[in-house]
Amino acid sequence: AFHTYDHHVMSIRMEYNLSKHFLETTKSIFWLGVLLGNLILCNLADKYGRRKLILNCFMINILTSYATAYVPNKELYMFLRFICGFLQGGTFITMFTLASEWFGKQYWPLISAYLTFVSGFSKSLIALLGINVRNWRSLLKITSLGSLPIWFIILFIIPESPRWLLTVGRQGEASEILRKMARLNGRKRWQEIQNVTMDGGDKQVTSRETVSDGLKLKSYFCRLRNLIIIWFTCGLTDYYIIYGAARLGGNIYQNLGM
């Protein structure tokens, strides 16, 4: 959607002769969708499962992105961008939750760094792809369909979170997943994993702590405050670079890719 005067390029701004105000509004609408997706879809992940929500939102996002390549007008384009933001907001945060629940706390910083790296690296690849695919509709089709292998990996390889299964009383499924993980990791006593529970008992976990409960604890409040500052700083820097690539001069795709 970047504006350029290269006659070999067909951007959405050139095709519909869009104003700068419309493009900036579309970006804001997209991020409004991300915010709402974070608030709404993440709660659904607690109710219906992390893996199920990721699979459904990811596939709908792929289809929506692909459909965006065929929009006949700018208004529909803006609406579909909102839908994509909504789906991405829930998917991205739930992916962090799912990955973190597979590992112990000592690995959480590494997992977060890895997922963030993948996100940044994929943006660079898309930018470099844009150097050769100069039509915005074609680029949307390629990047949308290119996400299908990732969806199939999640479908056939990535299991549900054992921790979430335990919180909803599905101890048998959680134990089966943990046995498989232990066997693949070379644990000799993996067959002994039976009837795993969150609290050592055999009952479903019914007590659920809320954010408001956690804010009463000083240690939790300090951690949450620090995380908000760190994520805000990283996000602001990341997206300033993305949206400011056009102002750096030279080739916008190379700027973004680098």
Side-chain angles (χ1 to χ4, degrees), residues 117-137:
F117 168 78
V118 171
S119 175
F121 184 69
S122 62
K123 294 171 186 174
S124 297
L125 288 181
I126 292 175
L128 297 177
L129 179 63
I131 296 177
N132 299 307
V133 182
R134 313 308 295 272
N135 185 290
W136 71 276
R137 295 182 185 272

Side-chain angles (χ1 to χ4, degrees), residues 131-174:
I131 296 177
N132 299 307
V133 182
R134 313 308 295 272
N135 185 290
W136 71 276
R137 295 182 185 272
S138 299
L139 184 61
L140 267 177
K141 295 176 186 177
I142 294 173
T143 53
S144 300
L145 296 179
S147 301
L148 283 175
I150 302 176
W151 187 85
F152 281 109
I153 289 176
I154 299 175
L155 177 64
F156 293 110
I157 298 178
I158 305 301
E160 180 57 271
S161 164
R163 182 179 293 272
W164 177 81
L165 290 171
L166 290 174
T167 63
V168 294
R170 294 160 62 176
Q171 290 88 350
E173 295 176 58

Side-chain angles (χ1 to χ4, degrees), residues 5 13 37-38 53 64 84 149 155 164 178 210 252:
Y5 291 101
R13 182 172 185 177
N38 287 339
L53 183 130
T64 303
C84 285
L155 177 64
W164 177 81
L178 290 174
T210 64
I252 184 174

